[in-house]
Amino acid sequence: MAKKTVIIGGVAGGATTAARLRRRDENMQIVMLERGGYISYANCGLPYYIGDVIKSRDALLLQTPEAMKAKFDIDVRIMSEVTRILPEEKAVEVKNLKTGEIYRESYDNLVLATGSSPVKPPIPGIDGENIFTLWSVPDTDRIKSYITEKKPRRAAVIGGGFIGLEMAENLHEQGLDVAVIEMQNQVMAPLDADMANLLHENLRMNGIELILGDGVKEFHQAEGKTRLELTSGAVVETDMVILSIGVRPNSELAAQAGATLNKRGGIQVDAYFRTSLPDVYAVGDVIEVDHFVTKEKTMIPLAGPANKQARILADHLAGDQKTYNGTLGTSVAKVFDLHAASVGLNEKQLKTLGKVKNQDYFIALINQKSHAGYYPGAVPLTLKMLFDKDGKIFGGQVVGQDGVDKRIDTLATVMRLNGTIYDLEELELAYAPPFSSAKDPVNMLGFTAENILRQMVRFMECDELEAMLADPEKKETYTILDVTEEMERMVYSIPGSYHIPLGKLRERMEELDREKLIIPYCAIGVRSYNAARILSQNGFGNVAVLAGGTAFYKSMHWEDADVFHSGDKPEDGAQSAQKQKEEEPSEAGQEKMWKEGAISDKELRVLDCCGLQCPGPIMKVHEAISEMKENEVLKVCATDMGFAADIGSWCRRTGNTLVRTERVDKENIVYIRKGSDCCTAGGVRNDAENVSCCGVGEMNQKGTQVCGTQGNQMSTELPQGKTIIVFSGDLDKVLASFIIANGAAAMGRPVTMFFTFWGLNALRKSDGPSVKKPFMEKMFGAMMPKGSRKLKLSKMNMAGMGTAMMKKVMKDKNVDSLESLMQYARKSGIRLVACTMSMDIMGITKEELIDGVEFAGVASYLGDAEESNVNLFV
């Protein structure tokens, strides 16, 4: 007689067990009991149906009872709730929820796939009609109907886990103003706090109000709205609430039958999924599993492991002896345009296990591109990996806009096969420019980890630097070394840092104190690593690179950033944000106001900077703003990840107003109003005793406030000009000088470029007139490059091949050519001064130089230099 298997639960674990069991045993009697009205539905897709990303409700229903019967001959009974397990009788008691009938169903084997349910704590008022959980198809229908019928304007999501953030995004897509309230100090618990800050910044940039470190004390219902009283005393008023606090295992049936549970209510099972009850098995969210890394018992409710467990259990019931070897917890989530993924243990868990950083575990944190940087569409990836002194990988995390899933999957695969960081180095991964780089980010993780273990580099985490900066007693023990270029430093620098560009470090390293800790930093960490290698090999014994560079460091200060929505920075959590929203229209409302006349089409201009890399977007903005009238608004679209943060600094320094920013797909959208909102016509408000300013300027070294608008000031201001001596005629050096000059001009600073000796060749016309010269001067001119297009690289020229490759890469990466930069410089009012003495020596005449060049001597240059606070020799 064929055996009979009864399965309680018809979603991931239950449906997979049933289908696999039928494939293994055609004669077994299989009964599946599901207390809900649906089986095998895509619960991970529910938020996206609410947000209309998934258009069809039917697409969520992967199987129906009728289809399971027809395809697999499985007796599926929906609306059938098992009320008791009777292990002595090998039977279960079932209630038909449609008819109320109660009956018993016998079994030879019983499988518990009862899953989990949302946590709903006993908070006063939590049962309000506009307070929802999302876990099942009926939950989805209720939320969808409420949005359609009630048309709520505001929503509060309680909990910042996977479902909470997915719901926040999809409600936002439906046009609601959304607040996410999370009791912990971060969202997405599988990530460490530093990686979660990338999500915090992104949520904020996408218009989500984020309240961290605060929980709900009580819900108050009034006139169809809900007032959330938080534990901090703050109040949030909303039209609907989504509870996403967490889940608990549905183990009540097992407990009543006498099965052994753990402290969290998870059913304890062995490697074959056998419970403590005879012939009773369990899989999925309801069970306790072994963590693959620690080998300790834990709870990891994920759909992937549940399906794999179900398959192994079915094979076991069919006579195999397969076992389950533990769960890694590999997961990924979409949070607007960012993807966040993790595998294994995070740093918080390692510390809970008593492990000490830089002793028991080490951190490799890097910034890489999703694919080859010269191929369009490359976006940043931030990767963090934890490992020990033997190279064993404890876990990893990846956050970025593209390629996150395949990197975390690669890490998970190496960990599952007990690989090490050295295996990451050796992985041979598919490469083509649209997909990856010759050295994939996963390879780079391995390389970086090896460098750490070989003590070729030491990293300082952002929180370590913050602690050091906050300790006045340590102020004289370290130097924060900025190795970026001058143009980058104009936009952002870490307070108190000392500036030596990487290219000047070897000749200027004696300016640094060898007895101090040197902390080099750059944008993403590559140049600072090179700086660390230079220093450590030249007698500097205490060097630590800032992990992740300023791109990562700025994300750690997302709350203090210059990028605010609707114009204001929140003052005090929910209360101020709520007040702001009451006083101001929503972002959609602002857009509507602009289109309907509050800001007319004539006042709103659009600038597309997508694909341009720094400093391209800033330069284009400066050019556009300079051609606009006061109070006109410029809408800028850019894909450069740092643009939204950098534009705030630019606006402050140039006296323009950053109205707001937003994120649309992978684009940063920025609105800038020309001029300042608060300065009077002269840029200064000044009475006899009280001097005030727009606030966009800075205090100069004499303590005098300098107004940031149009160069106006309250009293004598320090020199703000920039002078550059262009001595070299090498393409790369001339290119760098024009990039710096244009960056300074874009900041509103007067710039003089003084061309002397070989630098004059950059100003020569490529098709200049024939000029009668003495023989020596004619020969001299014939040997020198004629114009910018003939300049060569200082290194790796390779008979012109290197120069051609450089120009090709610049074009592919949307970096302006030297000729374009020179044209922009002249248009921006940069003084291009040719040294007449050098012209005379080298036999170059005025007729041979491009239009717009001034001719002067050293005295003219020195006059501008005295009015400058930056003087460069290139």
Side-chain angles (χ1 to χ4, degrees):
M1 182 176 177
K3 285 190 174 183
K4 179 180 180 181
T5 297
V6 173
I7 302 170
I8 305 176
V11 192
T16 299
T17 301
R20 175 67 174 177
L21 195 54
R22 172 57 72 223
R23 296 187 190 103
R24 291 299 309 272
D25 191 334
E26 179 65 19
N27 297 314
M28 182 177 287
Q29 184 181 356
I30 305 172
V31 178
M32 189 161 66
L33 304 170
E34 167 58 48
R35 66 181 175 183
Y38 303 89
I39 62 164
S40 191
Y41 56 86
N43 50 3
C44 294
L46 300 181
Y48 298 101
Y49 172 61
I50 291 173
D52 282 339
V53 177
I54 297 173
K55 302 294 184 182
S56 171
R57 181 179 180 277
D58 291 341
L60 301 171
L61 307 177
L62 306 180
Q63 287 285 2
T64 64
E66 296 77 17
M68 287 287 282
K69 178 64 176 176
K71 294 177 182 178
F72 300 104
D73 191 25
I74 294 171
D75 182 3
V76 180
R77 305 174 193 173
I78 57 173
M79 304 302 291
S80 298
E81 181 180 10
V82 176
T83 57
R84 279 199 304 166
I85 300 172
L86 306 169
E88 298 85 359
E89 302 177 29
K90 298 194 72 171
V92 294
E93 190 175 87
V94 186
K95 180 178 182 179
N96 185 323
L97 298 179
K98 293 181 178 179
T99 64
E101 174 195 1
I102 296 176
Y103 63 94
R104 290 189 179 186
E105 189 74 35
S106 64
Y107 63 81
D108 292 304
N109 294 309
L110 178 65
V111 176
L112 305 181
T114 48
S116 56
S117 297
V119 171
K120 199 170 181 181
I123 300 173
I126 200 169
D127 294 321
E129 63 177 12
N130 60 350
I131 300 177
F132 305 92
T133 59
L134 178 64
W135 203 246
S136 64
V137 174
D139 292 340
T140 309
D141 292 338
R142 283 191 288 271
I143 295 171
K144 191 85 169 175
S145 296
Y146 187 86
I147 293 173
T148 302
E149 296 170 8
K150 303 295 184 181
K151 295 179 171 49
R153 292 182 56 225
R154 300 186 178 105
V157 177
I158 315 301
F162 288 93
I163 293 178
L165 296 186
E166 289 168 352
M167 279 302 300
E169 176 181 353
N170 282 282
L171 290 172
H172 183 270
E173 290 299 314
Q174 290 282 33
L176 279 72
D177 292 332
V178 181
V180 173
I181 303 169
E182 169 56 54
M183 185 177 294
Q184 304 302 317
N185 65 351
Q186 67 164 88
V187 301
M188 201 69 73
L191 300 182
D192 284 315
D194 53 359
M195 297 292 282
N197 271 324
L198 298 170
L199 302 184
H200 298 161
E201 178 185 42
N202 192 53
L203 286 164
R204 188 170 181 246
M205 292 180 70
N206 278 285
I208 300 298
E209 180 188 350
L210 188 57
I211 303 171
L212 299 175
D214 212 348
V216 179
K217 181 180 179 181
E218 192 166 351
F219 296 95
H220 300 277
Q221 303 291 337
E223 299 179 358
K225 296 185 180 297
T226 300
R227 293 178 67 251
L228 282 65
E229 182 183 344
L230 306 186
T231 53
S232 65
V235 174
V236 174
E237 186 174 285
T238 187
D239 298 316
M240 66 180 298
V241 177
I242 304 293
L243 297 176
S244 182
I245 300 172
V247 298
R248 58 172 182 80
N250 294 329
S251 55
E252 297 87 353
L253 280 173
Q256 291 170 3
T260 304
L261 309 183
N262 66 13
K263 292 180 179 179
R264 296 172 60 184
I267 301 174
Q268 294 184 347
V269 297
D270 65 9
Y272 299 101
F273 302 108
R274 294 180 297 205
T275 72
S276 60
L277 302 175
D279 300 315
V280 178
Y281 302 81
V283 292
D285 291 3
V286 75
I287 69 169
E288 175 185 79
V289 297
D290 292 332
H291 196 290
F292 185 81
V293 177
T294 66
K295 309 306 179 186
E296 295 182 355
K297 301 295 183 181
T298 187
M299 302 285 292
I300 303 179
L302 291 171
N307 278 276
K308 294 174 183 65
Q309 293 160 14
R311 178 184 173 89
I312 293 172
L313 172 57
D315 286 347
H316 174 73
L317 293 176
D320 291 349
Q321 293 297 305
K322 294 174 67 174
T323 59
Y324 185 67
N325 296 318
T327 302
L328 269 170
T330 312
S331 60
V332 65
K334 178 181 179 294
V335 184
F336 288 92
D337 52 310
L338 279 186
H339 307 155
S342 67
V343 62
L345 300 174
N346 58 34
E347 195 174 357
K348 293 174 294 187
Q349 291 169 316
L350 287 174
K351 290 178 178 178
T352 301
L353 294 171
K355 295 188 181 295
V356 180
K357 183 164 65 175
N358 297 328
Q359 293 181 24
D360 302 310
Y361 72 93
F362 300 87
I363 301 173
L365 193 152
I366 62 174
N367 276 308
Q368 293 288 300
K369 290 291 179 66
S370 57
H371 58 248
Y374 57 82
Y375 188 86
V379 290
L381 285 173
T382 303
L383 303 94
K384 180 177 183 178
M385 182 174 67
L386 309 167
F387 56 98
D388 70 7
K389 60 182 178 60
D390 298 319
K392 176 184 176 180
I393 304 170
F394 290 130
Q397 300 159 46
V398 186
V399 177
Q401 291 181 314
D402 188 29
V404 169
D405 53 341
K406 73 175 182 178
R407 271 63 189 222
I408 208 69
D409 287 344
T410 304
L411 269 180
T413 302
V414 172
M415 291 176 68
R416 174 64 69 170
L417 298 176
N418 294 310
T420 66
I421 63 165
Y422 305 107
D423 294 299
L424 296 182
E425 294 180 290
E426 296 180 9
L427 285 178
E428 185 177 340
L429 303 171
Y431 161 61
F435 306 106
S436 183
S437 301
K439 293 181 288 188
D440 189 86
V442 173
N443 297 133
M444 294 302 297
L445 267 181
F447 299 148
T448 304
E450 185 198 14
N451 286 341
I452 292 171
L453 293 183
R454 293 181 61 187
Q455 298 184 352
M456 291 180 64
V457 66
R458 178 161 67 95
F459 286 99
M460 174 170 286
E461 306 301 319
C462 292
D463 58 348
E464 294 176 305
L465 178 61
E466 291 295 279
M468 188 174 290
L469 290 172
D471 189 346
E473 295 183 1
K474 293 184 178 180
K475 186 175 182 180
E476 302 302 322
T477 65
Y478 62 87
T479 298
I480 303 174
L481 178 62
D482 182 350
V483 297
T484 66
E485 298 302 317
E486 178 68 30
M487 178 184 56
E488 296 173 86
R489 190 169 172 84
M490 287 181 184
V491 175
Y492 181 82
S493 63
I494 295 177
S497 58
Y498 190 78
H499 185 222
I500 303 178
L502 178 62
K504 300 288 185 181
L505 184 57
R506 287 183 177 87
E507 62 190 72
R508 293 180 56 190
M509 68 175 64
E510 295 307 319
E511 298 174 22
L512 303 173
D513 189 339
R514 295 175 186 270
E515 300 302 316
K516 290 185 177 182
L517 167 64
I518 308 298
I519 310 167
Y521 75 83
C522 62
I524 63 173
V526 176
R527 285 171 290 174
S528 50
Y529 168 64
N530 290 328
R533 294 302 301 150
I534 293 171
L535 293 172
S536 62
Q537 294 179 86
N538 281 277
F540 289 81
N542 196 5
V543 182
V545 175
L546 178 63
T550 55
F552 194 64
Y553 182 80
K554 285 188 284 187
S555 293
M556 301 305 101
H557 297 80
W558 62 275
E559 292 181 288
D560 304 320
D562 294 323
V563 184
F564 307 123
H565 291 275
S566 304
D568 289 327
K569 176 181 176 181
E571 299 168 358
D572 183 22
Q575 284 181 313
S576 64
Q578 183 65 37
K579 178 181 176 182
Q580 176 181 318
K581 288 184 176 180
E582 290 172 353
E583 294 174 351
E584 299 180 1
S586 66
E587 291 187 11
Q590 288 186 20
E591 194 79 47
K592 184 178 179 182
M593 286 171 58
W594 290 8
K595 291 178 180 179
E596 290 180 353
I599 294 181
S600 67
D601 291 339
K602 292 182 179 180
E603 292 178 296
L604 182 64
R605 301 200 181 184
V606 178
L607 177 64
D608 187 355
C609 294
C610 293
L612 294 180
Q613 296 191 14
C614 179
I618 291 288
M619 291 165 55
K620 293 293 185 183
V621 168
H622 175 75
E623 182 178 0
I625 287 287
S626 65
E627 297 174 353
M628 292 168 54
K629 297 179 182 179
E630 286 289 312
N631 292 320
E632 284 187 330
V633 175
L634 180 66
K635 177 182 178 181
V636 187
C637 309
T639 49
D640 178 29
M641 287 293 287
F643 173 71
D646 291 344
I647 196 65
S649 175
W650 182 87
C651 286
R652 283 203 316 273
R653 293 189 175 216
T654 57
N656 295 293
T657 304
L658 178 61
V659 178
R660 67 186 179 98
T661 70
E662 62 186 14
R663 205 71 160 279
V664 178
D665 294 328
K666 295 181 180 180
E667 295 181 11
N668 293 301
I669 311 297
V670 173
Y671 295 87
I672 304 167
R673 185 185 297 277
K674 181 169 182 176
S676 171
D677 282 340
C678 57
C679 284
T680 57
V684 178
R685 291 193 291 271
N686 192 346
D687 54 42
E689 300 295 332
N690 185 25
V691 180
S692 62
C693 176
C694 62
V696 298
E698 300 174 347
M699 297 294 290
N700 66 24
Q701 293 180 5
K702 296 179 182 179
T704 303
Q705 178 75 32
V706 180
C707 180
T709 53
Q710 307 302 322
N712 294 308
Q713 60 185 48
M714 297 171 201
S715 61
T716 304
E717 84 176 271
L718 289 177
Q720 294 295 310
K722 318 295 176 188
T723 53
I724 303 174
I725 300 174
V726 185
F727 176 83
S728 172
D730 296 326
L731 172 62
D732 45 339
K733 296 177 182 179
V734 175
L735 185 65
S737 67
F738 272 98
I739 289 175
I740 294 171
N742 284 324
M747 303 297 290
R749 304 298 187 245
V751 181
T752 296
M753 301 181 72
F754 188 71
F755 293 82
T756 182
F757 287 96
W758 313 112
L760 289 166
N761 292 316
L763 301 180
R764 296 179 72 188
K765 296 176 181 176
S766 59
D767 55 352
S770 177
V771 179
K772 188 175 182 180
K773 299 180 183 180
F775 176 76
M776 288 297 294
E777 292 184 5
K778 187 174 183 180
M779 290 297 293
F780 207 1
M783 290 187 291
M784 293 187 298
K786 197 173 183 180
S788 59
R789 298 182 188 277
K790 299 294 184 179
L791 301 184
K792 300 177 181 179
L793 292 177
S794 61
K795 298 180 186 293
M796 297 177 62
N797 183 53
M798 298 182 293
M801 290 178 59
T803 302
M805 290 171 63
M806 169 67 82
K807 291 180 178 180
K808 175 65 166 57
V809 170
M810 289 172 60
K811 183 179 179 181
D812 290 342
K813 290 192 172 186
N814 293 304
V815 176
D816 286 332
S817 66
L818 176 56
E819 292 71 36
S820 297
L821 290 170
M822 293 174 69
Q823 184 179 7
Y824 181 85
R826 283 180 285 177
K827 191 174 182 180
S828 299
I830 294 174
R831 291 188 65 203
L832 305 182
V833 181
C835 175
T836 51
M837 181 271 292
S838 298
M839 290 173 62
D840 187 47
I841 292 175
M842 303 183 74
I844 298 176
T845 66
K846 295 181 180 179
E847 291 80 11
E848 294 178 85
L849 301 187
I850 61 176
D851 296 335
V853 175
E854 301 177 36
F855 304 96
V858 175
S860 177
Y861 151 72
L862 290 176
D864 282 356
E866 288 182 357
E867 299 298 321
S868 170
N869 64 352
V870 172
N871 185 36
L872 302 177
F873 184 92
V874 180

